[in-house]
Amino acid sequence: MAGRRTITIIGGGVIGLTSAYTLVRDGHDVTLIERRDDVGREASFANGGQLSYRYVSPLADAGIAQEALGWLFRPNSPISLRLKADPHQWRWLLAFLCACNRHTNRRNAAVLLDLALSGQAELEKYREEGLSDFLWRRPGKLVLYRNAATFRKAAKSVSDPERQRALSPSECRDVEPAFAGLREQIAGGIFSPEDEVGDCFLFCQALRETLTASPNFRLIQGDATLTTGPKNRCEVQLDGKPFETDLVVLAAGIGSRKLARPLGLNLPLYGLKGYSLTTRPRPGLVPSVSVTDYDNRVVYAGLGDRLRIAAMVDIGSENTHLNPKRLGELRTLVAETLPGALGQGDDTPWAGLRPATPTGVPIIARTRYDNLLLNVGHGALGFTLSVGSGLRLKEIVAGFDTRAVS
């Protein structure tokens, strides 16, 4: 460690909490500021529950723009687009389109894979040290493909048969019998036996409980703002009053854009709205493995006796209101894919804003302010990348990486 510092982290979601946990374990004094009355209440609350370490390819890829156009005009589409007179939205979409090529996708996928796998190894240490009670399991992940050409392309990309393997439709049914009803619709699947599941909100709660037992940690509820200070530093205001600290880490999800704006930082983040349903199906209908219905972009994760189903990307809907039409489309799709999974209609719906960069790669770096670091932009992979991102942040604190964001 380069030296013990007082560090203030803004944002009490899974990214802020794993940042705090990593830095406290490294010997720093950490204050976490969260504006809500509890941690993990926004994008971390009811996400898909998958720790999808081997499947981290960014959404931006060759052909995705054409594929997305087809989605926009079909019922139950995984993507909806509402264009607005918003320069930020148009800049983000243009940057996304520029990233939609194979070379950029492979380069960014390698960055994400490194973050994911380093985080998986570190999470193992957390659990060995006693961090538990977040419904963690390692059942593996099965990605089901309905389109034969898409499956053949995915199968060709499998480079490590020890950790991923392509399966025939019958082998898919053997791995996860709950989806046997799709037997005539499945072209094949990719199974990653080392992938995991967990409840992200309970993970946040477990981190908070462990952190609060440390004398080097404080959790404060309040509204933080950032202003420009002297000597190329930013200053933290907590509920309108100055708050002294050596370093600041901005990890407030989509809210980071607003917090960074007074500093002249235009963060390339856009909130991609997603939905989830949490239900308690009849016994036998909770899949034992984590499943992704690739063509519909729906994920299924068994969390204890509950089933978490997450899906959809709404671009241009910058709120977390529950859209009855989109939820109805999701329920219809789930009823066709896994009959009985929704029980007696007692599912709990949720919507959240995934803070995404155009490339899909999070921003974990210093800024042009000497004391301000970023840990933002994890999109739909926040849970998967959180621990690895904390490790990367620790490296920056120790060595003060020279990269800057403008």
Side-chain angles (χ1 to χ4, degrees):
M1 191 178 75
R4 183 168 178 168
R5 305 176 189 276
T6 61
I7 302 174
T8 297
I9 299 173
I10 303 174
V14 69
I15 301 301
L17 284 158
T18 50
S19 299
Y21 195 77
T22 303
L23 294 172
V24 166
R25 290 172 83 244
D26 201 39
H28 299 288
D29 296 317
V30 175
T31 298
L32 180 68
I33 301 175
E34 166 56 40
R35 66 183 183 86
R36 300 192 61 165
D37 59 2
D38 197 4
V39 298
R41 287 290 182 179
E42 297 197 10
S44 302
F45 183 67
N47 63 26
Q50 291 186 334
L51 289 160
S52 182
Y53 299 111
R54 290 281 167 182
Y55 193 80
V56 291
S57 179
L59 179 61
D61 195 3
I64 195 67
Q66 296 89 332
E67 189 177 359
L69 285 175
W71 284 334
L72 294 177
F73 298 103
R74 79 173 218 206
N76 304 333
S77 169
I79 291 182
S80 74
L81 173 61
R82 179 186 171 196
L83 293 175
K84 304 166 71 174
D86 176 6
H88 179 76
Q89 183 194 59
W90 286 86
R91 284 194 299 268
W92 191 94
L93 288 170
L94 179 60
F96 175 81
L97 291 174
C98 290
C100 287
N101 62 80
R102 184 54 49 85
H103 173 74
T104 300
N105 177 272
R106 287 180 175 174
R107 183 187 66 213
N108 292 336
V111 174
L112 296 178
L113 183 63
D114 182 64
L115 276 177
L117 295 182
S118 65
Q120 183 179 28
E122 187 73 359
L123 182 59
E124 183 80 16
K125 297 178 184 176
Y126 289 6
R127 294 190 305 102
E128 289 173 354
E129 293 170 2
L131 191 75
S132 60
D133 298 328
F134 58 101
L135 300 178
W136 177 91
R137 291 186 301 124
R138 184 177 288 157
K141 175 174 175 174
L142 175 63
V143 182
L144 296 173
Y145 293 88
R146 300 172 186 248
N147 181 281
T150 305
F151 169 62
R152 286 194 296 269
K153 178 181 174 182
K156 287 180 182 178
S157 70
V158 173
S159 59
D160 187 349
E162 290 292 320
R163 291 179 168 83
Q164 279 189 317
R165 59 181 187 268
L167 304 181
S168 67
S170 62
E171 290 172 324
C172 290
R173 293 193 295 273
D174 291 340
V175 168
E176 185 43 73
F179 287 83
L182 295 180
R183 57 186 174 274
E184 302 302 326
Q185 302 176 44
I186 297 301
I190 305 295
F191 184 55
S192 305
E194 296 179 352
D195 278 4
E196 303 164 0
V197 298
D199 187 304
C200 187
F201 174 67
L202 294 181
F203 181 60
C204 290
Q205 298 285 302
L207 288 169
R208 182 199 61 186
E209 182 177 347
T210 304
L211 280 166
T212 52
S214 169
N216 298 336
F217 177 78
R218 287 189 300 167
L219 174 62
I220 298 177
Q221 180 192 359
D223 283 314
T225 55
L226 297 174
T227 58
T228 301
K231 298 181 181 178
N232 204 42
R233 292 171 61 85
C234 74
E235 294 183 347
V236 179
Q237 299 276 327
L238 177 60
D239 296 327
K241 298 178 181 179
F243 190 84
E244 295 297 323
T245 186
D246 292 335
L247 296 176
V248 183
V249 177
L250 184 54
I254 195 59
S256 301
R257 267 192 68 211
K258 181 179 178 180
L259 287 165
R261 197 174 296 134
L263 302 176
L265 300 177
N266 185 21
L267 300 184
L269 305 178
Y270 202 79
L272 303 183
K273 186 174 181 178
Y275 299 84
S276 76
L277 301 170
T278 305
T279 183
R280 283 184 169 84
R282 298 192 308 272
L285 284 177
V286 177
S288 60
V289 305
S290 169
V291 175
T292 294
D293 178 356
Y294 179 84
D295 297 83
N296 291 307
R297 300 302 200 274
V298 182
V299 304
Y300 300 81
L303 302 173
D305 63 348
R306 297 172 297 148
L307 177 62
R308 176 72 48 76
I309 305 161
M312 298 181 173
V313 174
D314 285 357
I315 303 173
S317 180
E318 297 182 271
N319 59 63
T320 57
H321 299 159
L322 296 172
N323 184 326
K325 180 176 181 292
R326 293 295 269 163
L327 288 170
E329 292 171 349
L330 178 56
R331 289 187 177 105
T332 297
L333 185 58
V334 172
E336 294 171 351
T337 303
L338 192 61
L342 298 180
Q344 304 300 315
D346 59 350
D347 58 85
T348 302
W350 174 83
L353 295 177
R354 310 174 183 115
T357 65
T359 62
V361 176
I363 304 168
I364 312 166
R366 289 186 65 187
T367 67
R368 62 173 178 253
Y369 293 89
D370 291 342
N371 63 330
L372 177 63
L373 294 83
L374 302 175
N375 193 0
V376 299
H378 297 74
L381 292 171
F383 193 14
T384 298
L385 301 178
S386 60
V387 178
S389 297
L391 289 175
R392 179 71 187 114
L393 184 70
K394 182 180 77 170
E395 293 172 1
I396 296 173
V397 170
F400 262 57
D401 191 305
T402 58
R403 288 177 299 171
V405 174
S406 61

